[in-house]
Amino acid sequence: NIPDQRVDIHFRSPTDYWLYCVSCSVEPRLFVDFHADACVIIRDKKSLSNLLHKMTKEVLQKSKMGEGLATYIDPLLPRTTNIFLPLAKDFRYSYQDEYRFYWIPSEPCKKLDYIDIKIGSIKQIAELIVL
């Protein structure tokens, strides 16, 4: 019999990466957490994805772009050790119902600079809601 014992495991990415995170729901707690007085409701998610792909292609040309729902993980009892960090998040934030866009550079980098991406007007695919 093996005695019960705690084993701490730390997951680290071999490279820094860029993330753009959005929520799939309008949860009132998000406005409090992020001190927000407005939100943007995306009506055409595919068009937003296409815009991000198109506008980041030139700026981040040596990066791999991906996207997907966040995977919420219990840090004390993860179900697997096969965790993709760009989509992983502590399960205490599961109410955020997050969807993420990520860019991973082709060459590992410890610290990436902030990049501001301009995608143009999104009036045709989104609506601004001011509280």
Side-chain angles (χ1 to χ4, degrees):
N1 240 350
I2 300 173
D4 288 339
Q5 58 183 319
R6 178 179 163 160
V7 177
D8 289 330
I9 298 172
H10 297 275
F11 293 94
R12 288 197 175 84
S13 174
T15 183
D16 197 4
Y17 47 86
W18 294 279
L19 278 179
Y20 179 67
C21 306
V22 297
S23 177
C24 293
S25 63
V26 182
E27 171 65 41
R29 183 173 169 189
L30 294 173
F31 292 92
V32 175
D33 287 357
F34 296 102
H35 309 286
D37 60 1
C39 70
V40 175
I41 305 292
I42 304 296
R43 303 263 183 232
D44 184 348
K45 297 170 190 144
K46 186 67 176 161
S47 289
L48 176 65
S49 177
N50 290 340
L51 276 170
L52 286 169
H53 277 273
K54 179 181 174 186
M55 301 313 284
T56 58
K57 203 171 210 166
E58 286 184 36
V59 178
L60 302 171
Q61 50 187 277
K62 293 186 179 180
S63 297
K64 176 189 170 218
M65 181 182 173
E67 61 186 271
L69 291 168
T71 304
Y72 295 96
I73 298 164
D74 182 341
L76 298 179
L77 195 60
R79 292 185 177 153
T80 180
T81 57
N82 186 17
I83 296 173
F84 183 58
L85 291 179
L87 294 179
K89 192 165 186 173
D90 189 308
F91 80 138
R92 67 183 156 157
Y93 299 108
S94 62
Y95 70 93
Q96 294 178 350
D97 196 16
E98 202 169 298
Y99 191 85
R100 292 179 167 192
F101 298 90
Y102 60 86
W103 294 263
I104 301 173
S106 58
E107 297 292 323
C109 182
K110 291 291 182 199
K111 176 83 170 111
L112 294 169
D113 291 329
Y114 170 84
I115 294 177
D116 191 15
I117 301 295
K118 295 182 184 191
I119 62 171
S121 174
I122 58 171
K123 285 183 182 180
Q124 298 300 318
I125 64 168
E127 180 181 345
L128 174 65
I129 307 292
V130 179
L131 302 178

